[in-house]
Amino acid sequence: MILSKRQHEAIHQSLLMLFCFLLPLHPRVSVLVIIFLVINWLLSGRVYFNFKSFLSPVPILFLSFYVMHLIGLMYTSNWTEGMQRVETKLPLLIFPLILFSFPLKSKESISSILKSYVVGCLLASIYCFANGFLKYMETGENWMAYKKLGSFLGFHPTYFSMYLSFAFFIVLFFLVEKIKTHSVKYKIGSGILAGWFFIVILLLSSRMTILATVFILGISFLTWMYFQQKIFQGIGISILAIVLLFFSIKNLPSVNQRTQAAINSAITKDSTKVNRAPRINLWNAAFTVIKENPLLGTGTGDVQDELMRIYQERNYERALKDNFNPHNQYLQTTATLGIIGGILLLIYLMAPFWLAFQQKDYLYLLFLSLVIMSFLTESILQTQRGTLFFGFFYTFLTMRLLEKKELKVNT
């Protein structure tokens, strides 16, 4: 150990804060921060001194999901694609190794990391909105909605809105956690910040993220009002909020058009496969791959090749052109690793959810609910932005949960 224990801890926290700050702004730079994080972790000796921390059930579960993808390389044909998939998912290995053996003990340290992420999301959203406004003034085109809004940072709207939705939940969590002791200025500032994030989420027009955010917020609000013994007031406010949201969506062209298109696709009487909603085509193709490779899947690198074969057979022109994945993480994982992998993914998500529910860790429940719903319409773990976001916060919040649980046991 070159530096003192306290110095390594300070560097560890600073790097985690920097990573969270940069994550929504520039993922490639945040990857460089991970490299320094790994170096500090190795030099601190935590991997050797706390090796036993990896032998408990939760870390084993976390690491096993990544190991399954390594095993999937053994029977894959497309080795190049398989190695790329394994590389993309490295955060699912690195963060559990680091955070379970080098946990943060201080509540203030954990809060500072979450706040760094919120600041990064705020700057990212302001940057995109400001550039969109300048583009509008220059060209007269609407650059403040859907794909164009996030394009200034290379963000797909689904991922950008997912990032902002979690930042939105963090702001509300800190506000509600000590609502009776917060100053009026803090409450007003938090309300404005949460409102800003929600407006940008609406502008990004990701239907699932909007639905997930509203649904999770609504359930959380009604639960909170129930414990405050104000359930009927909560129902009234919820109905008013739904009405206001409906009119807001009706007046946002990008959201309205995409929602109407989805409804039309769902109720159309034309049963030909190529005319259905695109995601239905993708899901059908993924189901076919699963049926053909039920137990162990295609292997880590062969899923996309199998999907492209089916797209071609069924004349799914757009899916062929854009090389679409299944746009569903549950189907993606099951097609890749078979039913065994699909079941492991469900355990991977639901075991921490149950722990968070038992420990009443509301922030973790909000995060997991958001991810579980987002997995329904996107293969989140197929992209760098997805694995960085999920891999870090999934592990970080679990670490926070386990530390809180250990503290309760020792007191």
Side-chain angles (χ1 to χ4, degrees), residues 65-347:
F65 187 68
Y66 185 82
V67 171
M68 277 288 292
H69 287 84
L70 292 179
I71 294 172
L73 288 174
M74 297 171 62
Y75 54 94
T76 193
S77 301
N78 191 338
W79 183 261
T80 302
E81 176 68 16
M83 289 302 294
Q84 290 177 351
R85 294 299 106 210
V86 167
E87 181 185 353
T88 301
K89 290 179 174 62
L90 264 177
L92 305 183
L93 172 69
I94 292 173
F95 287 126
L97 288 175
I98 294 176
L99 292 177
F100 287 137
S101 61
F102 201 162
L104 297 172
K105 303 290 185 179
S106 166
K107 185 177 180 181
E108 290 73 21
S109 299
I110 292 172
S111 296
S112 64
I113 290 168
L114 292 171
K115 289 174 182 177
S116 297
Y117 174 74
V118 171
V119 173
C121 285
L122 176 62
L123 292 180
S125 59
I126 292 174
Y127 175 80
C128 289
F129 190 86
N131 276 278
F133 180 76
L134 293 175
K135 276 283 189 179
Y136 169 75
M137 296 298 292
E138 180 184 338
T139 65
E141 298 178 16
N142 183 11
W143 281 78
M144 292 181 287
Y146 195 39
K147 291 183 178 180
K148 290 184 177 179
L149 180 58
S151 64
F152 301 104
L153 286 174
F155 250 125
H156 186 281
T158 299
Y159 291 85
F160 198 8
S161 57
M162 182 176 67
Y163 275 48
L164 297 184
S165 180
F166 184 52
F168 170 74
F169 287 140
I170 292 173
V171 172
L172 293 181
F173 173 78
F174 281 130
L175 175 62
V176 174
E177 188 182 30
K178 296 180 180 179
I179 194 167
K180 294 182 179 179
T181 59
H182 288 313
S183 66
V184 175
K185 288 183 179 179
Y186 184 92
K187 293 176 183 178
I188 293 174
S190 296
I192 293 172
L193 183 56
W196 167 259
F197 282 141
F198 192 72
I199 289 170
V200 179
I201 290 168
L202 290 178
L203 290 174
L204 286 165
S205 309
S206 173
R207 292 165 299 192
M208 176 50 77
T209 307
I210 293 173
L211 175 63
T213 304
V214 172
F215 177 77
I216 295 167
L217 180 63
I219 295 297
S220 302
F221 175 71
L222 288 175
T223 303
W224 182 62
M225 292 298 283
Y226 173 78
F227 285 115
Q228 296 294 316
Q229 298 182 340
K230 298 177 180 178
I231 185 63
F232 293 109
Q233 292 178 3
I235 293 172
I237 294 171
S238 298
I239 293 172
L240 178 61
I242 290 170
V243 172
L244 292 173
L245 179 65
F246 174 78
F247 282 108
S248 299
I249 291 176
K250 289 288 287 183
N251 289 288
L252 284 171
S254 58
V255 185
N256 192 25
Q257 290 170 9
R258 298 186 71 242
T259 303
Q260 194 59 47
I263 293 172
N264 292 338
S265 297
I267 64 176
T268 182
K269 294 181 180 179
D270 188 348
S271 61
T272 59
K273 294 177 182 177
V274 293
N275 289 329
R276 292 182 187 170
R279 274 189 173 83
I280 295 177
N281 292 334
L282 304 179
W283 295 343
N284 282 334
F287 274 119
T288 301
V289 173
I290 293 169
K291 288 177 183 177
E292 294 174 354
N293 308 272
L295 188 59
L296 296 176
T298 64
T300 306
D302 289 352
V303 172
Q304 201 59 34
D305 293 337
E306 292 298 309
L307 288 171
M308 294 297 284
R309 174 179 61 81
I310 295 170
Y311 296 160
Q312 190 166 12
E313 290 175 358
R314 298 179 181 179
N315 196 28
Y316 294 163
E317 294 180 3
R318 186 181 173 191
L320 275 170
K321 178 184 176 183
D322 295 326
N323 195 32
F324 279 153
N325 59 41
H327 279 60
N328 180 301
Q329 188 59 56
Y330 304 105
L331 295 178
Q332 180 83 52
T333 300
T334 307
T336 302
L337 303 173
I339 295 172
I340 295 174
I343 292 173
L344 180 60
L345 176 61
L346 292 177
I347 298 172

Side-chain angles (χ1 to χ4, degrees), residues 8 11-12 15 35-45 102:
H8 278 295
I11 293 171
H12 182 64
L15 289 173
I35 294 173
F36 288 110
L37 196 63
V38 171
I39 293 172
N40 181 64
W41 170 64
L42 292 173
L43 292 177
S44 71
F102 201 162

